[in-house]
Amino acid sequence: MTPAPLAHALALLPNIVETAVLAAPRWTESRNEAAARLELCLYEEGTGKVTPIAVILPDCPFADRRLMTNAPVWIAALLTLLAEVWRRLEAQGQPCPLAIALPESLIDIDAAKGAWPVIRDTSGLVEGRWGEGFDTTTGKPGVERLDPMTGAFEPIATVLRACPFDDKRLLISAPEHIAALVALVRDALRRLRALEPPPAPAPPRGRKGPADHAQLAGILCGQRIFQVFLAERHGVESADETRAANRVRSLCRVTSRAELNTNPAAAGAWRRLHDEFQLWRQGR
């Protein structure tokens, strides 16, 4: 799925917010054994009731199917992330590119942060856009996927009569809306990182003695940019200094940061983590 240009993404944002608020907060897959088909269902949190709204066709690519099933939750997560990052930018005197009130309570912020890497990576695997079609074999409306190789539309789902209008609208527009939000979140994170102080330089090596990995790890764990890196790349649920330090010890397989200076295996693991951080910071 090609990232949406920022201007297009911003133009879509009011419609994305409206659709996300009106549609059901969660969908799920359910195997209908009697009909021998995979159904996309509305899921009611309180009762656990599921209501089929579409049939996912066997030829639906895995990435498209995953995006389809998770669309409401992923859009809620992206809107929550965008609202949080825009709030931080405004707190630092940076104007937001669009004067729109973003909903901030669609999903827990920690859950949204945890979902970000999966959303970002999965959305990149979805090729082509979706559109509304018509299944001539069943006489029902459907969702079609534009094959970027052939230019032809291929059916990937059949929409059932029980599907509410707003959920149908979200279903058809899910790839475009998610691509737009991913582009906006990426841009907002880039702007936020640009305001962060540069990371501490690595201690000099060579004649002045061995590198003090423990000291550098301690410095970086206290820096916001390193905490964000650990949250995005290594699943830290909530980026703060304590959790960052815990994750560094876990990744380097040590119980104390001091072991980074005495354990060759731990030192190597730290150097690899530090190199990964430097590449991430340069490329994002």
Side-chain angles (χ1 to χ4, degrees):
M1 188 162 57
T2 304
L6 286 178
H8 178 64
L10 286 169
L12 279 178
L13 190 55
N15 185 41
I16 295 172
V17 172
E18 178 188 8
T19 305
V21 171
L22 293 175
R26 182 179 170 189
W27 298 341
T28 187
E29 289 182 6
S30 178
R31 171 66 63 177
N32 186 329
E33 298 295 347
R37 67 189 190 186
L38 184 65
E39 295 175 339
L40 182 69
C41 304
L42 301 184
Y43 179 83
E44 295 182 11
E45 295 284 352
T47 64
K49 178 184 177 182
V50 294
T51 303
I53 60 171
V55 176
I56 303 173
L57 301 180
D59 291 336
C60 180
F62 176 76
D64 294 67
R65 171 183 157 188
R66 191 176 188 190
L67 184 145
M68 183 186 301
T69 304
N70 291 285
V73 173
W74 285 4
I75 289 174
L78 290 167
L79 285 171
T80 301
L81 281 174
L82 188 61
E84 171 68 11
V85 180
W86 277 8
R87 181 187 63 78
R88 292 184 183 180
L89 286 170
E90 286 185 325
Q92 299 193 47
Q94 298 295 312
C96 289
L98 188 66
I100 181 173
L102 293 176
E104 297 187 17
S105 58
L106 289 175
I107 191 172
D108 178 75
I109 184 61
D110 289 334
K113 290 177 180 177
W116 165 243
V118 176
I119 299 171
R120 179 194 60 213
D121 296 342
T122 303
S123 65
L125 298 176
V126 175
E127 298 181 351
R129 60 184 177 87
W130 295 356
E132 185 173 5
F134 185 79
D135 190 335
T136 56
T137 60
T138 63
K140 296 177 181 177
V143 180
E144 295 183 338
R145 167 184 174 271
L146 177 63
D147 189 323
M149 299 296 294
T150 65
F153 277 96
E154 302 172 343
I156 58 174
T158 300
V159 180
L160 300 179
R161 185 174 299 176
C163 182
F165 172 78
D166 292 304
D167 291 83
K168 176 183 174 183
R169 186 169 60 153
L170 187 149
L171 175 60
I172 294 170
S173 60
E176 184 181 25
H177 284 189
I178 289 175
L181 288 171
V182 167
L184 291 173
V185 171
R186 282 183 185 274
D187 177 69
L189 288 173
R190 177 190 59 77
R191 293 172 58 203
L192 187 62
R193 292 189 191 107
L195 301 174
E196 298 283 352
R205 299 178 181 178
R207 297 178 181 177
K208 295 185 179 181
D212 191 342
H213 300 310
Q215 182 185 39
L216 178 59
I219 293 172
L220 288 179
C221 285
Q223 292 189 353
R224 182 63 182 168
I225 186 67
F226 188 68
Q227 296 165 11
V228 172
F229 158 72
L230 290 176
E232 286 196 13
R233 288 301 189 189
H234 294 283
V236 177
E237 293 183 359
S238 179
D240 59 32
E241 184 171 357
T242 299
R243 288 184 172 87
N246 289 339
R247 184 50 56 92
V248 166
R249 288 194 294 270
S250 173
L251 291 170
C252 296
R253 299 181 182 276
V254 296
T255 57
S256 169
R257 201 164 54 223
E259 294 178 57
L260 299 179
N261 291 341
T262 60
N263 184 325
W270 166 252
R271 284 194 294 269
R272 289 190 294 274
L273 180 64
H274 184 259
D275 290 344
E276 181 189 356
F277 166 60
Q278 296 289 3
L279 289 173
W280 171 86
R281 194 174 192 279
Q282 294 169 10
R284 304 288 293 193

